[in-house]
Amino acid sequence: MTGERRAAVLGSPIRHSLSPVLHRAAYDALGLAGWSYTAHEVDEAGLPAFVDGLDGTWAGLSLTMPLKRVALEVADRVSPLAAATGAANTLVLRPEGRLADNTDVAGIVRALQAAGVSAVERAVVLGAGGTAQAALAALRELGTKDPVVLVRDAGRAGELTAAAERLEVQPEVRALLGGAGTDLAAASGLLTEADVVVSTLPAGAADEFGGLRWNPTTVVLDVIYAPWPTALGAGAAAAGCRVASGLDMLLHQAVAQVELMTGRPGPVEAMRTALDEAVLARS
């Protein structure tokens, strides 16, 4: 397939993004000659002008922090999922306009499925940011509408609560995190009783849970991928849990983006190989 087509990842900072590795590997595997994928440092203030300056050769944009919420404002249409989660990590550029969508949800769903999850009854989410909102949507797709969400301050979980209302899920938000203020006993009981645990916390923030007496039937997804393994991931794996990392989520959300931008099935194994090689080269 020939003809110039362009795509890119935008964000700030963007230098260490692995998205170009994934998308270029997909184009090669799909035989999409003439397709290119680049990375651009763009902040919230700069997004409208960047998007307005694109011509008809552009197929789509991947959006990372801090652009996932402002992306909704530069779109002509917003998918129901992006509207419900309140964030978009993808802009699909078509002649009829710009579509904002969210493939982070698919990334979480597919990462958990690859780890053996087919259905979820009891789930715990750590954190209340944008990725936690995507986790609520993903867990809904996997069968649970009432996960427990552990946060530092329940009074600051307003965006998560609003997203939950739009998603028509009813999470139980509990303020059990916070360094010295962590109620480790209460949090540990919830984590070890869960079918699935999804940590959306920043690097190091979930380290104190690495030494839990994990139930080996629990599946743990830690969205961090550098450094890996995290204390949480290593502790859960040592206890016999199936563990997925942020790299698994990154892979699968990129596969979904490739499908949206090219109209072709994402070549999962080719993209996984390229990602593994890139991570090894950086280590």
Side-chain angles (χ1 to χ4, degrees):
M1 184 175 179
T2 59
E4 182 186 9
R5 298 291 280 158
R6 304 172 68 186
V9 59
L10 313 182
S12 183
I14 201 65
R15 184 175 61 176
H16 297 296
S17 174
L18 290 165
S19 291
V21 170
L22 287 160
H23 286 257
R24 290 169 187 166
Y27 301 160
D28 288 344
L30 293 171
L32 296 176
W35 281 68
S36 64
Y37 190 97
T38 50
H40 300 267
E41 185 87 12
V42 178
D43 61 15
E44 291 173 290
L47 182 62
F50 185 96
V51 175
D52 287 342
L54 303 180
D55 62 23
T57 64
W58 283 82
L61 299 172
S62 306
L63 304 165
T64 186
M65 297 303 293
L67 303 178
K68 292 186 179 183
R69 288 193 172 91
V70 71
L72 303 179
E73 301 173 10
V74 299
D76 299 305
R77 293 188 299 121
V78 177
S79 74
L81 189 57
T85 57
N89 72 328
T90 310
L91 272 179
V92 185
L93 306 176
R94 297 170 175 163
E96 63 270 24
R98 309 164 186 162
L99 170 66
D101 209 340
N102 188 315
T103 69
D104 283 335
V105 176
I108 295 172
V109 170
R110 295 179 188 180
L112 289 172
Q113 288 174 331
V117 175
S118 58
V120 181
E121 291 185 9
R122 295 172 297 178
V124 175
V125 177
L126 303 179
T131 306
Q133 292 165 209
L136 292 184
L139 292 167
R140 181 188 66 171
E141 290 192 23
L142 291 167
T144 184
K145 293 187 174 183
D146 57 353
V148 176
V149 180
L150 304 187
V151 301
R152 181 185 299 269
D153 181 355
R156 299 179 64 184
E159 290 185 350
L160 180 131
T161 301
E165 292 178 357
R166 293 190 297 268
L167 290 163
E168 298 183 344
V169 299
Q170 300 81 39
E172 179 186 351
V173 180
R174 301 183 62 175
L176 297 179
L177 305 182
T182 298
D183 188 337
L184 192 58
S188 299
L190 293 166
L191 293 173
T192 55
E193 293 172 0
D195 302 323
V196 168
V197 172
V198 179
S199 175
T200 70
L201 296 174
D207 285 0
E208 59 194 325
F209 298 119
L212 297 186
R213 289 190 174 184
W214 288 96
N215 185 330
T217 64
T218 300
V219 175
V220 176
L221 167 60
D222 189 339
V223 302
I224 298 299
Y225 60 81
W228 187 263
T230 60
L232 175 65
C241 299
R242 288 163 292 170
V243 177
S245 77
L247 286 174
D248 299 302
M249 177 183 169
L250 180 69
L251 166 66
H252 289 291
Q253 65 81 27
V255 169
Q257 285 185 334
V258 167
E259 293 168 353
L260 284 171
M261 294 180 192
T262 70
R264 304 276 294 278
V268 178
E269 292 311 316
M271 295 171 72
R272 188 194 311 276
T273 298
L275 180 61
D276 289 345
E277 290 174 352
V279 171
L280 182 62
R282 292 186 181 188
S283 62

